[in-house]
Amino acid sequence: MSRRLLLILAACIAVLHFSIIIFMLSPLYSTRSSLYGTRYVSRFGYKHPSVDWCKELKLRIPPSQNVVALVSYPGSGNTWLRYLLQQATGIMTGSVYMDYGLKLHGFPAENVTDGSVLVVKTHETPTTNRKYDSAILLIRNPRDALLADFNRLHKGHIGTAPKSAFKRKSNEHRSSWSKYVSVELTGWESMHRMWLTTFKGPLHIVFYETLVRDTRMTLQRTLDFLNHTVDEEDMSCALAYKEGIYRRKKKYKDFDPYTPNMYVAIQTVWHNVLNMVIDYQRTVQNVTY
């Protein structure tokens, strides 16, 4: 290869590298007055979803002394509730994880776990090595939570797994659908049991189905638990933009991957956890934190 071609190749690589850096640093979230609108077009011609924010997102300064966990099993709507909280308050929410897709598309405080964020996303059980002063437990019917997370594992936060994925047999990389359901149902019940029976701080319970059905009331009660007041303009804006970009649309209307035996198992663990919620609520009625 000639020296001229080598120089041209090196220049192209440098330009590409620089373009990627610029792209990664470009804001993909904006306020309603932003010139970006609801879509952001990258320098490579691809369209990436962005968010219309009611107000510019910021960290808490000074940080709160109260670190609040936003707990859920994967697939239960954690990202959507974070989005609603950010819309209503303008305060960033954090996470124990570093999801670069979320960081670039509306959640700039990924991997921030202190009081500078409103809540800290986690799917983990309560442990002694990570201190939360209080927690919000978001619970979704395991039938829908497991299916949503199975879709995420195959197609990301807003995609839907192909029907073939539900028929695939186990291999060294992925388990079959039936094995996945069996294992995850056990984990779903165990995670909720741990938070409902061992966490020592105040615990606010949110049902995903109630959040969908009555978003205003559920969001307001969550904000009350966080001791954060928003005015009617902020609440109305959050509700006007409540859909966001991270609520998966149903792709298959007449497709149910669950077998009758799976439904029996789902109903069993679902009722077990509902009974734990009832027991917890009875217990805290007589407890003052």
Side-chain angles (χ1 to χ4, degrees):
M1 186 179 293
S2 67
R3 182 177 180 183
R4 178 182 176 83
L5 288 176
L6 286 173
L7 289 174
I8 293 174
L9 180 60
C12 290
I13 293 174
V15 170
L16 178 61
H17 181 69
F18 180 74
S19 298
I20 292 173
I21 293 174
I22 294 298
F23 169 70
M24 294 294 285
L25 293 176
S26 298
L28 295 185
Y29 56 94
S30 58
T31 61
R32 284 175 292 168
S33 60
S34 169
L35 297 177
Y36 291 128
T38 59
R39 304 287 288 184
Y40 172 81
V41 182
S42 78
R43 291 162 180 79
F44 301 106
Y46 301 108
K47 290 185 177 180
H48 301 271
S50 61
V51 180
D52 284 324
W53 290 108
C54 295
K55 58 181 69 177
E56 184 178 357
L57 298 180
K58 62 183 183 299
L59 294 171
R60 279 178 162 173
I61 300 177
S64 170
Q65 298 300 311
N66 184 39
V67 179
V68 184
L70 176 55
V71 187
S72 71
Y73 199 77
S76 298
N78 198 305
T79 302
W80 185 43
L81 183 49
R82 288 177 67 189
Y83 165 82
L84 290 172
L85 290 170
Q86 289 188 167
Q87 283 287 31
T89 66
I91 300 175
M92 297 179 192
T93 61
S95 174
V96 300
Y97 314 105
M98 173 54 83
D99 187 320
Y100 289 98
L102 293 181
K103 186 176 180 67
L104 287 172
H105 295 86
F107 299 90
E110 282 291 285
N111 205 222
V112 178
T113 61
D114 59 22
S116 65
V117 292
L118 189 64
V119 295
V120 179
K121 168 185 175 178
T122 181
H123 301 311
E124 301 171 355
T125 56
T127 57
T128 56
N129 61 346
R130 189 180 292 278
K131 172 62 175 175
Y132 297 112
D133 301 285
S134 56
I136 299 165
L137 178 61
L138 178 60
I139 305 175
R140 187 180 189 182
N141 187 313
R143 174 199 62 204
D144 299 324
L146 267 62
L147 182 57
D149 197 49
F150 189 79
N151 284 324
R152 180 191 63 81
L153 292 171
H154 284 79
K155 289 294 182 178
H157 284 282
I158 58 176
T160 304
K163 290 183 180 180
S164 60
F166 297 92
K167 302 175 182 179
R168 187 179 296 126
K169 295 182 178 180
S170 301
N171 57 40
E172 60 180 322
H173 300 294
R174 289 178 178 172
S175 63
S176 66
W177 168 242
S178 59
K179 180 67 174 178
Y180 171 85
V181 172
S182 175
V183 172
E184 295 302 317
L185 269 179
T186 300
W188 186 91
E189 182 178 4
S190 176
M191 190 279 286
H192 290 92
R193 177 188 294 109
M194 292 294 290
W195 281 97
L196 288 164
T197 61
T198 68
F199 183 64
K200 302 302 182 184
L203 183 68
H204 177 63
I205 298 170
V206 175
F207 285 98
Y208 174 85
E209 292 76 13
T210 307
L211 180 63
V212 173
R213 184 173 62 252
D214 193 343
T215 306
R216 174 185 284 271
M217 179 198 71
T218 309
L219 181 59
Q220 184 60 64
R221 289 179 177 176
T222 303
L223 291 168
D224 291 343
F225 176 78
L226 293 169
N227 197 28
H228 191 96
T229 302
V230 299
D231 58 29
E232 181 56 34
E233 182 180 358
D234 292 333
M235 178 62 77
S236 296
C237 183
L239 295 174
Y241 287 84
K242 71 177 184 178
E243 288 303 315
I245 63 173
Y246 280 112
R247 289 194 68 197
R248 183 179 287 103
K249 302 296 185 292
K250 291 186 177 180
K251 182 178 179 181
Y252 308 120
K253 294 182 179 180
D254 301 316
F255 175 66
D256 186 350
Y258 290 107
T259 66
N261 286 338
M262 289 178 182
Y263 273 115
V264 171
I266 287 170
Q267 284 298 105
T268 298
V269 301
W270 181 225
H271 284 299
N272 287 345
V273 168
L274 289 179
N275 286 331
M276 291 179 209
V277 170
I278 293 171
D279 290 341
Y280 174 80
Q281 291 174 335
R282 286 173 178 168
T283 300
V284 298
Q285 286 177 353
N286 299 318
V287 176
T288 302
Y289 289 100

